[in-house]
Amino acid sequence: MKKRAIMISMLLVMALSVTGCSQKTATKDKDTKTEETAKTDDAEETESDNTEDTSEDTPTTAELMAGIDVEKCVTLGDYKGVTVEKTIQSVTDEDVQNEIDNALANYPVEVDQAAKEGDTVNIDYVGKIDGEEFDGGSDQGADLKLGSGKFIDGFEDGLIGARKGETRTLNLTFPEDYTQDLAGKAVEFTVTVNAVKEPLSEPTDQWVADNIEGYDNIADYKAGIRSEQEESNEQTAENQVRYAAWTQVIDNCTINEYPETLVEVGKKLYKQQVETYAKYAGMELDAYIESSGLTQEEYQSNMEEYGKNVAAQALVCQAICNKEGFAIGDDDYQKALQDMLTEYGCTEEELIQTYGQDNVEQSIMLNRVSNLIMENAEEFKAPQLAGPREKTGSTDFGNVMYDVPGCCIRTAFVPEGTAAHSKEYLEAGKTEKAHEALRYGAEILAGTCVDILERPELLSEIQTEFRERKQKEKDVSF
Protein backbone atom coordinates (compact mmCIF):
# COMPACT_ATOMS: atom_id res chain seq x y z
CA MET A 1 0.00 0.00 0.00
CA LYS A 2 1.31 3.44 -0.94
CA LYS A 3 1.78 5.54 2.16
CA ARG A 4 0.09 8.92 2.32
CA ALA A 5 1.85 11.45 4.46
CA ILE A 6 -0.06 13.42 7.06
CA MET A 7 0.21 17.17 6.43
CA ILE A 8 3.38 18.04 8.28
CA SER A 9 6.07 20.39 7.00
CA MET A 10 9.54 18.92 6.84
CA LEU A 11 11.12 22.07 5.45
CA LEU A 12 14.09 22.93 7.62
CA VAL A 13 12.48 21.35 10.66
CA MET A 14 15.14 22.75 12.95
CA ALA A 15 14.38 26.35 11.94
CA LEU A 16 12.43 28.66 14.22
CA SER A 17 9.39 30.21 12.58
CA VAL A 18 8.37 33.26 14.54
CA THR A 19 6.44 36.39 13.67
CA GLY A 20 6.99 38.45 16.79
CA CYS A 21 7.31 38.28 20.55
CA SER A 22 3.77 39.18 21.51
CA GLN A 23 1.47 36.43 22.75
CA LYS A 24 -0.70 34.93 20.02
CA THR A 25 -4.42 35.49 20.41
CA ALA A 26 -7.00 33.41 18.57
CA THR A 27 -9.68 35.73 17.24
CA LYS A 28 -12.72 35.24 15.05
CA ASP A 29 -14.63 37.58 12.78
CA LYS A 30 -17.85 38.84 14.28
CA ASP A 31 -19.86 37.61 11.34
CA THR A 32 -18.94 33.98 12.10
CA LYS A 33 -19.98 34.10 15.70
CA THR A 34 -23.22 32.15 15.56
CA GLU A 35 -21.75 29.35 13.49
CA GLU A 36 -18.38 29.19 15.20
CA THR A 37 -19.03 29.99 18.86
CA ALA A 38 -19.07 26.33 19.79
CA LYS A 39 -15.61 25.86 18.30
CA THR A 40 -13.97 28.67 20.25
CA ASP A 41 -13.04 26.62 23.29
CA ASP A 42 -11.45 23.91 21.15
CA ALA A 43 -9.50 26.48 19.14
CA GLU A 44 -8.19 28.14 22.29
CA GLU A 45 -7.24 24.75 23.73
CA THR A 46 -5.39 23.85 20.52
CA GLU A 47 -3.57 27.18 20.54
CA SER A 48 -2.48 26.54 24.09
CA ASP A 49 -1.36 23.00 23.33
CA ASN A 50 0.62 24.20 20.32
CA THR A 51 2.92 26.51 22.30
CA GLU A 52 6.55 25.53 22.60
CA ASP A 53 7.74 23.40 25.48
CA THR A 54 10.15 25.69 27.28
CA SER A 55 10.57 23.46 30.31
CA GLU A 56 14.04 23.52 31.79
CA ASP A 57 13.75 19.74 32.36
CA THR A 58 13.81 19.13 28.60
CA PRO A 59 17.41 18.88 27.34
CA THR A 60 18.34 21.19 24.48
CA THR A 61 19.75 19.93 21.21
CA ALA A 62 23.16 21.29 22.22
CA GLU A 63 23.00 19.30 25.46
CA LEU A 64 22.05 16.15 23.57
CA MET A 65 24.88 16.72 21.08
CA ALA A 66 27.37 16.88 23.96
CA GLY A 67 26.83 13.16 24.51
CA ILE A 68 26.99 12.19 20.82
CA ASP A 69 30.05 11.38 18.71
CA VAL A 70 28.94 13.51 15.76
CA GLU A 71 31.89 12.62 13.52
CA LYS A 72 31.10 8.94 14.02
CA CYS A 73 27.42 9.38 13.24
CA VAL A 74 27.75 11.45 10.05
CA THR A 75 30.23 11.63 7.21
CA LEU A 76 30.17 15.12 5.78
CA GLY A 77 29.89 15.50 2.03
CA ASP A 78 30.29 18.65 -0.02
CA TYR A 79 28.52 21.60 1.54
CA LYS A 80 30.39 24.29 -0.36
CA GLY A 81 29.89 24.82 -4.06
CA VAL A 82 26.42 23.27 -4.35
CA THR A 83 24.49 24.42 -7.41
CA VAL A 84 21.13 26.05 -6.83
CA GLU A 85 18.53 27.37 -9.23
CA LYS A 86 16.67 30.52 -8.34
CA THR A 87 13.43 31.13 -10.16
CA ILE A 88 11.61 34.35 -9.33
CA GLN A 89 7.98 34.36 -10.40
CA SER A 90 7.22 37.48 -12.40
CA VAL A 91 4.25 39.64 -11.39
CA THR A 92 1.65 39.93 -14.13
CA ASP A 93 -1.13 42.45 -14.63
CA GLU A 94 -3.52 39.61 -13.81
CA ASP A 95 -1.83 39.09 -10.43
CA VAL A 96 -2.31 42.76 -9.60
CA GLN A 97 -5.92 42.71 -10.74
CA ASN A 98 -6.67 39.60 -8.67
CA GLU A 99 -5.52 41.36 -5.53
CA ILE A 100 -7.62 44.39 -6.40
CA ASP A 101 -10.64 42.16 -6.99
CA ASN A 102 -10.13 40.53 -3.60
CA ALA A 103 -9.93 43.94 -1.94
CA LEU A 104 -13.09 45.08 -3.72
CA ALA A 105 -14.88 42.00 -2.38
CA ASN A 106 -13.56 42.61 1.15
CA TYR A 107 -14.49 46.30 1.18
CA PRO A 108 -17.94 46.63 -0.40
CA VAL A 109 -19.69 50.01 -0.48
CA GLU A 110 -23.12 50.82 0.89
CA VAL A 111 -25.96 50.84 -1.64
CA ASP A 112 -29.63 51.80 -1.46
CA GLN A 113 -31.21 48.55 -2.59
CA ALA A 114 -32.71 45.30 -1.32
CA ALA A 115 -30.12 42.74 -0.28
CA LYS A 116 -29.39 39.93 -2.73
CA GLU A 117 -27.11 36.91 -2.62
CA GLY A 118 -23.48 38.03 -2.76
CA ASP A 119 -24.22 41.32 -1.02
CA THR A 120 -22.87 42.08 2.43
CA VAL A 121 -25.30 43.18 5.12
CA ASN A 122 -24.30 44.87 8.36
CA ILE A 123 -26.63 43.57 11.05
CA ASP A 124 -27.58 43.58 14.71
CA TYR A 125 -29.14 40.31 15.85
CA VAL A 126 -30.44 38.68 19.00
CA GLY A 127 -30.96 34.93 19.27
CA LYS A 128 -33.38 33.37 21.77
CA ILE A 129 -34.22 29.80 22.72
CA ASP A 130 -37.51 29.40 24.62
CA GLY A 131 -37.60 33.16 24.95
CA GLU A 132 -34.16 33.40 26.58
CA GLU A 133 -30.97 34.78 25.02
CA PHE A 134 -28.06 32.33 24.87
CA ASP A 135 -24.29 32.74 24.85
CA GLY A 136 -22.89 33.56 21.42
CA GLY A 137 -26.31 34.10 19.89
CA SER A 138 -26.27 37.90 19.68
CA ASP A 139 -24.09 40.57 18.13
CA GLN A 140 -24.11 44.16 16.89
CA GLY A 141 -22.58 45.68 13.77
CA ALA A 142 -21.66 42.32 12.25
CA ASP A 143 -20.90 42.11 8.52
CA LEU A 144 -22.33 39.04 6.81
CA LYS A 145 -21.96 38.10 3.15
CA LEU A 146 -25.20 36.49 2.01
CA GLY A 147 -24.51 33.11 0.51
CA SER A 148 -21.27 32.59 2.43
CA GLY A 149 -22.78 29.79 4.51
CA LYS A 150 -21.25 31.12 7.73
CA PHE A 151 -24.53 31.08 9.65
CA ILE A 152 -26.93 28.17 10.17
CA ASP A 153 -29.29 27.20 7.37
CA GLY A 154 -32.05 29.72 6.80
CA PHE A 155 -30.34 32.68 8.43
CA GLU A 156 -28.75 34.17 5.32
CA ASP A 157 -31.62 33.19 3.03
CA GLY A 158 -33.98 34.92 5.45
CA LEU A 159 -32.27 38.25 4.79
CA ILE A 160 -32.58 38.16 1.01
CA GLY A 161 -34.66 41.17 -0.05
CA ALA A 162 -34.17 43.07 3.22
CA ARG A 163 -33.37 46.78 3.06
CA LYS A 164 -31.52 49.15 5.36
CA GLY A 165 -33.49 49.78 8.56
CA GLU A 166 -35.66 46.67 8.18
CA THR A 167 -36.05 44.19 11.05
CA ARG A 168 -36.88 40.54 10.41
CA THR A 169 -37.69 37.63 12.70
CA LEU A 170 -36.17 34.30 11.66
CA ASN A 171 -37.52 31.11 13.21
CA LEU A 172 -34.88 28.46 12.60
CA THR A 173 -33.57 25.17 13.97
CA PHE A 174 -29.99 24.31 14.85
CA PRO A 175 -28.63 21.29 12.96
CA GLU A 176 -28.65 17.91 14.70
CA ASP A 177 -24.86 17.71 14.41
CA TYR A 178 -24.39 21.11 16.10
CA THR A 179 -22.94 21.52 19.59
CA GLN A 180 -24.53 19.35 22.23
CA ASP A 181 -26.26 22.20 24.08
CA LEU A 182 -27.83 23.64 20.87
CA ALA A 183 -28.21 20.66 18.50
CA GLY A 184 -31.74 20.30 17.13
CA LYS A 185 -33.19 23.18 19.16
CA ALA A 186 -35.59 25.76 17.78
CA VAL A 187 -34.18 29.28 17.81
CA GLU A 188 -35.61 32.72 17.05
CA PHE A 189 -33.33 35.43 15.67
CA THR A 190 -34.40 39.06 15.56
CA VAL A 191 -32.25 40.74 12.92
CA THR A 192 -32.00 44.44 12.07
CA VAL A 193 -30.25 45.45 8.84
CA ASN A 194 -28.04 48.50 9.35
CA ALA A 195 -26.69 48.64 5.80
CA VAL A 196 -26.60 46.77 2.50
CA LYS A 197 -23.29 46.72 0.67
CA GLU A 198 -21.98 45.39 -2.64
CA PRO A 199 -18.51 45.42 -4.23
CA LEU A 200 -17.62 48.03 -6.82
CA SER A 201 -16.91 46.65 -10.28
CA GLU A 202 -13.84 48.88 -10.53
CA PRO A 203 -11.91 50.77 -7.85
CA THR A 204 -12.09 54.54 -7.62
CA ASP A 205 -9.65 56.99 -6.05
CA GLN A 206 -12.19 57.63 -3.30
CA TRP A 207 -12.61 53.91 -2.59
CA VAL A 208 -8.84 53.53 -2.37
CA ALA A 209 -8.52 56.47 0.02
CA ASP A 210 -11.36 55.15 2.20
CA ASN A 211 -10.26 51.53 2.41
CA ILE A 212 -6.57 51.01 1.55
CA GLU A 213 -4.13 52.24 4.14
CA GLY A 214 -1.26 54.26 2.74
CA TYR A 215 -2.83 55.03 -0.65
CA ASP A 216 -5.21 57.68 -1.94
CA ASN A 217 -5.38 56.91 -5.68
CA ILE A 218 -5.61 53.92 -7.99
CA ALA A 219 -2.29 54.40 -9.79
CA ASP A 220 -0.21 54.41 -6.61
CA TYR A 221 -2.26 51.52 -5.23
CA LYS A 222 -1.56 49.35 -8.29
CA ALA A 223 2.12 50.24 -8.20
CA GLY A 224 2.22 49.37 -4.51
CA ILE A 225 0.59 45.98 -5.12
CA ARG A 226 3.10 45.16 -7.83
CA SER A 227 6.02 46.20 -5.65
CA GLU A 228 4.77 44.15 -2.68
CA GLN A 229 4.16 41.09 -4.85
CA GLU A 230 7.60 41.35 -6.42
CA GLU A 231 9.15 41.56 -2.96
CA SER A 232 7.07 38.57 -1.84
CA ASN A 233 8.06 36.54 -4.90
CA GLU A 234 11.70 37.39 -4.32
CA GLN A 235 11.46 36.20 -0.71
CA THR A 236 9.65 33.02 -1.77
CA ALA A 237 12.38 32.30 -4.32
CA GLU A 238 15.03 32.91 -1.66
CA ASN A 239 13.34 30.51 0.76
CA GLN A 240 13.01 27.86 -1.94
CA VAL A 241 16.62 28.12 -3.04
CA ARG A 242 17.84 27.91 0.56
CA TYR A 243 15.78 24.78 1.11
CA ALA A 244 17.07 23.29 -2.16
CA ALA A 245 20.66 23.99 -1.13
CA TRP A 246 20.13 22.52 2.33
CA THR A 247 18.51 19.42 0.82
CA GLN A 248 21.53 18.95 -1.47
CA VAL A 249 23.88 19.21 1.47
CA ILE A 250 21.89 16.61 3.42
CA ASP A 251 21.89 14.30 0.39
CA ASN A 252 25.65 14.75 0.02
CA CYS A 253 26.23 13.49 3.55
CA THR A 254 26.12 9.93 4.84
CA ILE A 255 24.35 9.18 8.11
CA ASN A 256 26.19 6.25 9.67
CA GLU A 257 24.15 6.11 12.85
CA TYR A 258 20.94 7.74 14.11
CA PRO A 259 21.26 8.59 17.81
CA GLU A 260 18.05 7.52 19.50
CA THR A 261 17.89 10.69 21.59
CA LEU A 262 17.68 12.83 18.42
CA VAL A 263 15.23 10.48 16.71
CA GLU A 264 12.97 10.73 19.75
CA VAL A 265 13.01 14.54 19.47
CA GLY A 266 11.76 14.27 15.89
CA LYS A 267 9.14 11.65 16.75
CA LYS A 268 7.84 13.90 19.52
CA LEU A 269 7.55 16.81 17.08
CA TYR A 270 5.69 14.59 14.61
CA LYS A 271 3.21 13.38 17.20
CA GLN A 272 2.60 16.90 18.50
CA GLN A 273 1.84 18.13 14.98
CA VAL A 274 -0.54 15.26 14.24
CA GLU A 275 -2.34 15.82 17.55
CA THR A 276 -2.70 19.49 16.67
CA TYR A 277 -4.25 18.69 13.29
CA ALA A 278 -6.56 16.16 14.95
CA LYS A 279 -7.79 18.78 17.41
CA TYR A 280 -8.39 21.30 14.63
CA ALA A 281 -10.46 18.61 12.91
CA GLY A 282 -12.35 17.94 16.15
CA MET A 283 -11.20 14.32 16.19
CA GLU A 284 -9.38 11.93 18.49
CA LEU A 285 -5.86 11.02 17.39
CA ASP A 286 -6.64 7.45 16.33
CA ALA A 287 -9.73 8.55 14.38
CA TYR A 288 -7.73 11.26 12.62
CA ILE A 289 -5.00 8.80 11.65
CA GLU A 290 -7.63 6.45 10.22
CA SER A 291 -9.34 9.31 8.33
CA SER A 292 -5.96 10.13 6.75
CA GLY A 293 -5.86 6.68 5.16
CA LEU A 294 -3.11 5.39 7.43
CA THR A 295 -2.90 2.25 9.50
CA GLN A 296 -1.32 2.46 12.93
CA GLU A 297 1.73 0.66 11.52
CA GLU A 298 2.06 3.23 8.73
CA TYR A 299 1.63 6.07 11.23
CA GLN A 300 4.41 4.65 13.41
CA SER A 301 6.60 4.16 10.34
CA ASN A 302 6.03 7.76 9.24
CA MET A 303 6.85 8.94 12.74
CA GLU A 304 10.09 6.98 12.74
CA GLU A 305 11.04 8.32 9.31
CA TYR A 306 10.30 11.87 10.42
CA GLY A 307 12.39 11.35 13.55
CA LYS A 308 15.34 10.16 11.48
CA ASN A 309 14.94 13.17 9.17
CA VAL A 310 15.17 15.52 12.16
CA ALA A 311 18.14 13.61 13.53
CA ALA A 312 19.93 13.74 10.17
CA GLN A 313 19.49 17.49 9.85
CA ALA A 314 20.66 18.06 13.42
CA LEU A 315 23.73 15.91 12.87
CA VAL A 316 24.70 17.57 9.60
CA CYS A 317 24.20 21.03 11.07
CA GLN A 318 26.34 20.18 14.09
CA ALA A 319 29.04 18.55 11.96
CA ILE A 320 29.34 21.67 9.80
CA CYS A 321 29.39 23.87 12.91
CA ASN A 322 32.21 21.73 14.36
CA LYS A 323 34.23 21.92 11.16
CA GLU A 324 33.74 25.67 10.72
CA GLY A 325 34.28 26.49 14.39
CA PHE A 326 30.74 27.79 14.94
CA ALA A 327 29.68 27.72 18.59
CA ILE A 328 26.68 28.82 20.59
CA GLY A 329 27.61 32.02 22.40
CA ASP A 330 30.53 33.07 20.18
CA ASP A 331 30.73 36.58 18.72
CA ASP A 332 28.83 35.77 15.52
CA TYR A 333 26.15 34.01 17.55
CA GLN A 334 25.72 37.07 19.78
CA LYS A 335 25.47 39.34 16.75
CA ALA A 336 22.83 37.10 15.18
CA LEU A 337 20.92 37.05 18.45
CA GLN A 338 20.95 40.84 18.69
CA ASP A 339 19.74 41.10 15.10
CA MET A 340 16.88 38.75 15.96
CA LEU A 341 15.93 40.75 19.04
CA THR A 342 15.94 43.96 17.01
CA GLU A 343 13.83 42.43 14.26
CA TYR A 344 11.25 41.00 16.68
CA GLY A 345 11.30 43.96 19.04
CA CYS A 346 11.75 42.10 22.30
CA THR A 347 14.31 41.20 24.93
CA GLU A 348 16.31 37.97 25.02
CA GLU A 349 14.33 36.86 28.07
CA GLU A 350 11.03 37.43 26.24
CA LEU A 351 12.27 35.58 23.17
CA ILE A 352 13.36 32.54 25.17
CA GLN A 353 10.22 32.58 27.32
CA THR A 354 8.03 32.56 24.21
CA TYR A 355 9.91 30.13 21.97
CA GLY A 356 12.29 28.22 24.22
CA GLN A 357 16.05 28.22 24.60
CA ASP A 358 16.54 25.30 22.22
CA ASN A 359 14.51 26.83 19.40
CA VAL A 360 16.39 30.11 19.64
CA GLU A 361 19.80 28.42 19.69
CA GLN A 362 19.07 26.03 16.83
CA SER A 363 17.46 28.74 14.73
CA ILE A 364 20.57 30.90 14.94
CA MET A 365 22.98 28.03 14.33
CA LEU A 366 21.04 26.63 11.37
CA ASN A 367 20.76 30.10 9.84
CA ARG A 368 24.52 30.51 10.18
CA VAL A 369 25.07 27.19 8.43
CA SER A 370 22.51 28.09 5.76
CA ASN A 371 24.21 31.45 5.17
CA LEU A 372 27.56 29.70 4.82
CA ILE A 373 26.12 27.26 2.28
CA MET A 374 24.53 30.07 0.27
CA GLU A 375 27.65 32.23 0.34
CA ASN A 376 29.55 29.36 -1.28
CA ALA A 377 26.79 28.12 -3.57
CA GLU A 378 26.85 28.47 -7.33
CA GLU A 379 23.57 30.19 -8.04
CA PHE A 380 21.99 30.64 -11.42
CA LYS A 381 18.64 32.16 -12.20
CA ALA A 382 16.32 30.07 -14.29
CA PRO A 383 14.85 31.79 -17.35
CA GLN A 384 11.36 33.21 -17.31
CA LEU A 385 9.89 30.94 -19.94
CA ALA A 386 6.86 32.37 -21.69
CA GLY A 387 3.97 30.10 -22.57
CA PRO A 388 3.01 29.28 -26.16
CA ARG A 389 1.01 31.84 -28.10
CA GLU A 390 -1.90 31.06 -30.40
CA LYS A 391 -0.60 33.62 -32.88
CA THR A 392 2.87 34.96 -33.41
CA GLY A 393 4.60 37.30 -35.78
CA SER A 394 5.91 36.13 -39.13
CA THR A 395 9.42 34.70 -39.24
CA ASP A 396 11.62 32.98 -41.80
CA PHE A 397 11.98 30.12 -39.35
CA GLY A 398 8.25 29.59 -39.63
CA ASN A 399 8.75 28.72 -43.29
CA VAL A 400 11.53 26.31 -42.38
CA MET A 401 9.33 24.62 -39.75
CA TYR A 402 6.82 23.79 -42.45
CA ASP A 403 9.31 21.32 -43.94
CA VAL A 404 11.25 20.15 -40.88
CA PRO A 405 10.34 19.84 -37.18
CA GLY A 406 11.32 22.82 -35.06
CA CYS A 407 10.51 24.71 -31.91
CA CYS A 408 10.46 28.31 -30.74
CA ILE A 409 11.84 29.09 -27.29
CA ARG A 410 10.60 32.35 -25.79
CA THR A 411 12.53 33.66 -22.77
CA ALA A 412 11.25 36.86 -21.24
CA PHE A 413 13.42 39.93 -20.67
CA VAL A 414 10.74 42.66 -20.77
CA PRO A 415 7.75 43.18 -18.46
CA GLU A 416 4.59 41.48 -19.65
CA GLY A 417 2.56 43.75 -21.91
CA THR A 418 5.52 45.71 -23.31
CA ALA A 419 4.75 46.63 -26.91
CA ALA A 420 7.02 45.10 -29.56
CA HIS A 421 9.26 47.50 -31.54
CA SER A 422 8.82 50.10 -28.77
CA LYS A 423 11.51 52.21 -27.10
CA GLU A 424 10.98 50.23 -23.88
CA TYR A 425 11.59 46.98 -25.76
CA LEU A 426 14.74 48.44 -27.33
CA GLU A 427 16.17 49.59 -24.01
CA ALA A 428 15.37 46.24 -22.38
CA GLY A 429 17.35 44.51 -25.12
CA LYS A 430 20.50 46.26 -23.90
CA THR A 431 20.27 44.92 -20.35
CA GLU A 432 22.02 42.01 -18.68
CA LYS A 433 18.63 40.33 -18.33
CA ALA A 434 18.33 40.28 -22.14
CA HIS A 435 21.79 38.76 -22.45
CA GLU A 436 20.85 36.12 -19.88
CA ALA A 437 17.65 35.34 -21.81
CA LEU A 438 19.67 34.78 -24.98
CA ARG A 439 22.11 32.54 -23.16
CA TYR A 440 19.31 30.54 -21.54
CA GLY A 441 17.61 30.06 -24.90
CA ALA A 442 20.87 28.84 -26.41
CA GLU A 443 21.44 26.46 -23.52
CA ILE A 444 17.92 25.05 -23.91
CA LEU A 445 18.41 24.49 -27.63
CA ALA A 446 21.82 22.91 -27.09
CA GLY A 447 20.41 20.66 -24.38
CA THR A 448 17.60 19.63 -26.70
CA CYS A 449 20.15 18.65 -29.36
CA VAL A 450 21.99 16.52 -26.80
CA ASP A 451 18.73 14.83 -25.77
CA ILE A 452 17.92 13.99 -29.40
CA LEU A 453 21.41 12.64 -30.08
CA GLU A 454 21.40 10.50 -26.95
CA ARG A 455 17.80 9.28 -27.32
CA PRO A 456 16.96 8.11 -30.85
CA GLU A 457 13.43 7.24 -29.74
CA LEU A 458 12.82 10.92 -28.96
CA LEU A 459 13.75 11.90 -32.50
CA SER A 460 11.38 9.25 -33.81
CA GLU A 461 8.54 10.64 -31.66
CA ILE A 462 9.20 14.15 -32.96
CA GLN A 463 9.18 13.03 -36.56
CA THR A 464 5.95 11.06 -36.08
CA GLU A 465 4.20 14.01 -34.45
CA PHE A 466 5.43 16.32 -37.22
CA ARG A 467 4.04 14.06 -39.96
CA GLU A 468 0.68 13.73 -38.18
CA ARG A 469 0.31 17.49 -37.78
CA LYS A 470 1.18 18.13 -41.42
CA GLN A 471 -1.39 15.56 -42.47
CA LYS A 472 -4.06 17.31 -40.40
CA GLU A 473 -3.21 20.61 -42.07
CA LYS A 474 -3.65 18.99 -45.48
CA ASP A 475 -6.98 17.49 -44.44
CA VAL A 476 -8.44 20.91 -43.57
CA SER A 477 -6.88 22.87 -46.46
CA PHE A 478 -8.90 23.98 -49.51
Side-chain angles (χ1 to χ4, degrees):
M1 178 185 296
K2 184 177 180 180
K3 298 179 181 179
R4 284 182 283 175
I6 296 176
M7 294 183 297
I8 295 179
S9 171
M10 297 183 69
L11 306 184
L12 297 179
V13 293
M14 302 299 292
L16 172 64
S17 297
V18 291
T19 55
C21 289
S22 59
Q23 287 288 336
K24 296 181 181 178
T25 303
T27 60
K28 296 211 177 274
D29 294 336
K30 291 183 178 180
D31 63 342
T32 64
K33 191 172 182 179
T34 302
E35 185 67 21
E36 301 295 339
T37 298
K39 301 178 183 178
T40 302
D41 292 341
D42 287 342
E44 290 176 349
E45 180 181 353
T46 301
E47 185 72 34
S48 175
D49 291 344
N50 201 34
T51 55
E52 297 294 342
D53 180 7
T54 59
S55 171
E56 294 181 359
D57 296 333
T58 303
T60 66
T61 302
E63 290 170 340
L64 293 177
M65 285 295 181
I68 295 172
D69 187 344
V70 176
E71 280 64 35
K72 177 183 177 183
C73 291
V74 58
T75 302
L76 273 180
D78 293 333
Y79 60 90
K80 294 182 179 180
V82 298
T83 301
V84 291
E85 176 181 327
K86 188 172 185 178
T87 304
I88 303 174
Q89 184 68 38
S90 59
V91 177
T92 66
D93 292 342
E94 183 179 3
D95 294 331
V96 175
Q97 187 59 49
N98 286 340
E99 183 158 335
I100 292 174
D101 290 342
N102 289 335
L104 288 170
N106 290 331
Y107 298 104
V109 297
E110 186 171 347
V111 291
D112 183 16
Q113 64 184 33
K116 62 183 184 301
E117 185 168 339
D119 287 348
T120 297
V121 290
N122 182 274
I123 56 175
D124 300 336
Y125 62 90
V126 177
K128 294 182 180 181
I129 296 177
D130 297 329
E132 298 291 333
E133 294 187 29
F134 60 95
D135 290 341
S138 303
D139 201 358
Q140 292 184 331
D143 278 340
L144 172 64
K145 184 177 181 178
L146 301 183
S148 64
K150 290 184 176 179
F151 278 44
I152 63 174
D153 287 349
F155 192 101
E156 295 172 30
D157 290 343
L159 297 178
I160 298 293
R163 303 185 72 95
K164 178 178 180 179
E166 184 176 344
T167 297
R168 291 190 175 186
T169 300
L170 309 177
N171 290 295
L172 308 172
T173 302
F174 282 106
E176 293 294 339
D177 60 353
Y178 210 69
T179 57
Q180 185 175 0
D181 56 335
L182 297 176
K185 290 185 178 181
V187 58
E188 178 186 271
F189 286 103
T190 302
V191 186
T192 298
V193 177
N194 302 318
V196 178
K197 309 174 186 177
E198 70 175 5
L200 292 174
S201 58
E202 293 290 338
T204 63
D205 287 345
Q206 187 59 53
W207 176 86
V208 171
D210 291 343
N211 296 284
I212 308 301
E213 185 177 355
Y215 298 100
D216 59 9
N217 64 80
I218 300 171
D220 288 347
Y221 177 42
K222 287 184 175 180
I225 292 175
R226 186 176 294 276
S227 176
E228 290 173 4
Q229 290 187 347
E230 288 174 344
E231 182 178 345
S232 175
N233 290 354
E234 170 69 33
Q235 185 59 56
T236 297
E238 176 67 19
N239 294 340
Q240 290 172 340
V241 80
R242 279 182 174 268
Y243 173 65
W246 177 239
T247 300
Q248 283 188 57
V249 170
I250 296 294
D251 291 342
N252 290 343
C253 299
T254 301
I255 306 301
N256 305 313
E257 181 181 330
Y258 291 94
E260 190 59 32
T261 52
L262 295 181
V263 174
E264 285 301 316
V265 170
K267 290 168 68 173
K268 181 180 178 181
L269 288 173
Y270 184 90
K271 185 177 181 181
Q272 287 176 342
Q273 289 294 330
V274 177
E275 288 175 340
T276 297
Y277 288 126
K279 286 188 177 183
Y280 275 128
M283 304 171 69
E284 295 296 327
L285 178 60
D286 289 346
Y288 180 75
I289 293 171
E290 183 178 354
S291 72
S292 301
L294 293 171
T295 65
Q296 284 292 331
E297 290 75 16
E298 290 170 334
Y299 167 70
Q300 293 295 331
S301 176
N302 285 353
M303 184 190 298
E304 181 72 21
E305 183 178 351
Y306 187 88
K308 287 184 175 180
N309 182 282
V310 170
Q313 294 192 56
L315 287 169
V316 172
C317 181
Q318 187 62 52
I320 293 175
C321 287
N322 291 348
K323 189 169 183 177
E324 296 293 332
F326 295 171
I328 295 174
D330 63 19
D331 290 346
D332 287 336
Y333 178 93
Q334 294 298 336
K335 182 179 184 305
L337 175 60
Q338 290 304 315
D339 290 342
M340 183 180 289
L341 298 179
T342 299
E343 182 178 356
Y344 301 143
C346 59
T347 65
E348 181 177 355
E349 182 180 357
E350 290 171 334
L351 188 71
I352 293 174
Q353 182 178 4
T354 303
Y355 301 108
Q357 182 74 36
D358 192 40
N359 276 339
V360 173
E361 290 177 351
Q362 294 308 308
S363 173
I364 293 175
M365 298 306 287
L366 181 57
N367 282 332
R368 291 176 68 182
V369 169
S370 178
N371 290 339
L372 173 71
I373 293 170
M374 292 305 299
E375 287 168 3
N376 291 276
E378 297 178 10
E379 179 183 322
F380 66 93
K381 294 185 178 180
Q384 294 293 316
L385 295 178
R389 295 184 295 189
E390 292 184 7
K391 295 182 180 181
T392 186
S394 61
T395 169
D396 291 338
F397 187 54
N399 297 329
V400 175
M401 288 173 64
Y402 188 77
D403 291 319
V404 296
C407 63
C408 178
I409 304 299
R410 299 171 56 231
T411 56
F413 63 90
V414 294
E416 185 172 330
T418 302
H421 308 295
S422 64
K423 182 178 180 181
E424 291 79 10
Y425 213 104
L426 174 64
E427 293 303 318
K430 303 174 183 177
T431 64
E432 180 62 27
K433 186 174 182 180
H435 297 162
E436 290 178 355
L438 267 177
R439 185 173 68 253
Y440 291 139
E443 290 174 355
I444 292 169
L445 290 174
T448 302
C449 291
V450 172
D451 289 341
I452 292 173
L453 290 172
E454 293 182 344
R455 297 170 54 197
E457 73 279 5
L458 179 59
L459 177 59
S460 178
E461 291 174 10
I462 293 172
Q463 291 172 332
T464 299
E465 179 187 356
F466 177 72
R467 286 194 296 267
E468 290 175 351
R469 295 189 64 173
K470 283 203 68 174
Q471 186 60 48
K472 288 180 181 179
E473 291 180 6
K474 291 180 180 179
D475 291 341
V476 298
S477 62
F478 294 94

